[in-house]
Amino acid sequence: MANITDYIEWRGDIDFYTSPFNEIDAVILCQIIYLNFEGLIPSEFLEKGPTLKDIAEYFRTAPDKDNRSDTGALINRKTAELFLKAANSNRFSKIEASGFINKIDLEEEEQFAAAVFRIRRPNTNAVNTNAVTPYAEAPSTENPDICVVYRGTDDTLIGWKEDFNLGYKTTVPAQKDALDYLESAASFFGGRISIAGHSKGGNLAIYSAVNAQPQIQKRMARVYNNDGPGFSEDFFKTEKYLAVRDKISSYFPQLSIVGMLFCHDTGYTTVESDNKGLYQHDPFNWHTQALSFVREKDTTEQSKFISSTVNQWIQELPSGERETFIEAIFSVLSSTKARTNSELGSNKLGAAKTMLMSFTKLSPQTRSTIGKVIQLLFKVSLSNIETAGISAALGLKN
């Protein structure tokens, strides 16, 4: 089946004037933001920033291109290729980018990155003689003027730590920075705003949209959440959320694991996907057609089993035990001195020995808590298997 790379090949010659910005365009920008654009996309907001075509030229010839292209162990290594293909297309080449930020704060346990992509409105008085197909109607007003894009969890262990902190904290630093970033971008740029993110970036997109000032919310065109983890059940009952609910579009692969963490609102879209398990989290494995993702009726039984088990486990754990468990796990990981998943995986044997030694040094009380947490997970898993049936729980039937 076709994917986001095929989409660029099919639709790359068609500009946004002819065919408006859509969910696939949004997820392509979400994938691109995983690359290292420091020094290539200006850190300040600009009225006229460099185009993706210009940025791609610098990226392609940069002496550190290989390092910039290295997205780590968990992000698809074809991301740089996707960016260069998009930047060379008529559709994406003229998009301007500015306001790039890439923040890693070990003390605050934060990983945050974002950029603004500007889609210029065409001169509606001009005749588009290069259009692939004649305009069937008046030029579209559906395009946002800017799209604020948040990066999801990258290769850093601190990024993963912040994700786990969502399990017991009301807010995490990246959410606060996402809101500040959106409000700053909205203050600088006029016009309609779309917001997008993949994985944790999707969570940030929703959080910032919901908590933005009403005057900014009125300017929002669409909020794109691509397999991002959810929030507490109460979050979806707030007036702030209800004010933008109709502008939020959430997309999850058939076997969603990351995205189905915590609570979600109803009405999300399930995307036909391939590959196994966690690999479906990768947008390269999502099936596309001309203007949208290929839809499925719902997530798989295996996805439902995993999400219900993990979410029930989290809910039944006292907040203090959740915190103890998460802090202990990451203290063991940090004992390896690795800062990224790639570094951790490059010396698996040595890392395993170090982590085992670190685990034995944990206090008896902490080890006891970890044991109780794991025991509860097994208990919830067995209970859900009995409820759902073994074959359904294991995804043997759909």
Side-chain angles (χ1 to χ4, degrees):
M1 286 292 294
N3 67 4
I4 53 178
T5 302
D6 298 310
Y7 170 81
I8 295 173
E9 293 179 359
W10 295 343
R11 309 284 294 178
D13 56 346
I14 305 175
D15 60 26
F16 293 108
Y17 181 82
T18 309
S19 181
F21 189 87
N22 63 53
E23 60 203 40
I24 308 176
D25 299 314
V27 85
I28 287 172
L29 295 181
C30 291
Q31 190 65 37
I32 285 172
I33 199 66
Y34 280 111
L35 294 170
N36 177 7
F37 287 114
E38 290 191 68
L40 299 183
I41 296 179
S43 58
E44 66 272 21
F45 297 127
L46 296 176
E47 181 63 29
K48 183 170 179 57
T51 64
L52 293 191
K53 184 177 181 180
D54 294 335
I55 296 165
E57 284 302 312
Y58 289 115
F59 188 95
R60 189 181 287 109
T61 58
D64 59 348
K65 179 190 172 185
D66 289 344
N67 288 334
R68 291 182 179 276
S69 302
D70 186 1
T71 49
L74 301 175
I75 307 300
N76 199 304
R77 294 184 181 276
K78 294 181 181 178
T79 300
E81 180 184 335
L82 177 79
F83 165 58
L84 295 175
K85 185 182 288 289
N88 194 46
S89 71
N90 184 51
R91 188 167 183 81
F92 289 91
S93 62
K94 300 179 185 67
I95 292 178
E96 298 169 15
S98 65
F100 180 72
I101 179 173
N102 183 25
K103 180 180 180 182
I104 302 292
D105 190 324
L106 300 180
E107 188 172 320
E108 292 295 322
E109 297 183 339
E110 178 184 14
Q111 172 255 318
F112 174 74
V116 169
F117 295 92
R118 187 169 192 178
I119 303 169
R120 291 280 181 181
R121 290 182 181 271
N123 179 359
T124 54
N125 296 319
V127 177
N128 189 346
T129 57
N130 296 319
V132 177
T133 56
Y135 297 125
E137 53 189 34
S140 172
T141 58
E142 296 178 33
N143 287 320
D145 292 277
I146 64 169
C147 188
V148 174
V149 180
Y150 300 116
R151 181 185 290 175
T153 308
D154 58 18
D155 195 39
T156 60
L157 290 177
I158 203 65
W160 284 89
K161 175 63 164 60
E162 188 176 32
D163 287 353
F164 276 81
N165 288 347
L166 286 169
Y168 72 93
K169 291 186 176 181
T170 306
T171 57
V172 295
Q175 290 175 327
K176 297 175 183 178
D177 277 349
L179 176 58
D180 290 343
Y181 186 90
L182 172 62
E183 293 188 334
S184 296
S187 176
F188 185 89
F189 296 99
R192 288 156 56 83
I193 304 167
S194 281
I195 311 167
H198 168 253
S199 191
K200 182 177 73 176
N203 176 283
L204 301 182
I206 293 178
Y207 180 89
S208 61
V210 167
N211 289 283
Q213 297 297 319
Q215 61 267 31
I216 297 176
Q217 292 181 335
K218 290 177 182 177
R219 292 167 53 193
M220 291 177 191
R222 182 61 46 191
V223 180
Y224 298 94
N225 165 34
N226 297 290
D227 208 27
F231 299 86
S232 70
E233 191 174 352
D234 291 339
F235 177 87
F236 300 101
K237 300 174 183 176
T238 62
E239 290 185 12
K240 288 183 177 181
Y241 174 77
L242 295 174
V244 295
R245 182 187 186 192
D246 292 342
K247 297 183 178 184
I248 297 173
S249 296
S250 292
Y251 304 90
F252 301 99
Q254 291 167 268
L255 210 173
S256 176
I257 297 173
V258 175
M260 286 295 151
L261 290 174
F262 314 122
C263 295
H264 280 281
D265 200 353
T266 57
Y268 57 80
T269 297
T270 303
V271 180
E272 184 178 277
S273 321
D274 52 42
N275 222 319
K276 298 179 180 180
L278 274 170
Y279 289 107
Q280 285 198 18
H281 185 56
D282 179 357
F284 277 90
N285 295 320
W286 298 8
H287 297 167
T288 63
Q289 47 196 356
L291 298 174
S292 63
F293 296 118
V294 179
R295 265 63 169 164
E296 277 287 337
K297 290 183 179 180
D298 202 354
T299 55
T300 64
E301 292 300 324
Q302 189 177 6
S303 176
K304 289 185 175 68
F305 170 77
I306 294 171
S307 62
S308 64
T309 299
V310 173
N311 288 333
Q312 183 182 340
W313 174 56
I314 291 171
Q315 289 170 5
E316 291 188 13
L317 273 177
S319 178
E321 289 189 4
R322 269 182 261 162
E323 181 178 0
T324 298
F325 177 74
I326 291 167
E327 293 297 331
I329 293 299
F330 278 89
S331 73
V332 169
L333 287 172
S334 64
S335 69
T336 65
K337 306 301 181 184
R339 297 186 61 170
T340 65
N341 287 286
S342 297
E343 290 176 5
L344 197 62
S346 65
N347 182 22
K348 295 177 182 176
L349 183 59
K353 289 179 179 178
T354 302
M355 287 190 290
L356 181 61
M357 186 173 294
S358 178
F359 181 82
T360 62
K361 293 180 181 178
L362 294 174
S363 70
Q365 184 178 356
T366 299
R367 292 203 303 272
S368 175
T369 299
I370 291 173
K372 289 178 182 177
V373 168
I374 294 173
Q375 188 177 26
L376 177 60
L377 177 59
F378 277 112
K379 180 182 177 181
V380 171
S381 299
L382 289 173
S383 174
N384 284 349
I385 286 175
E386 290 173 4
T387 302
I390 292 176
S391 57
L394 296 178
L396 301 178
K397 66 179 181 180
N398 201 1

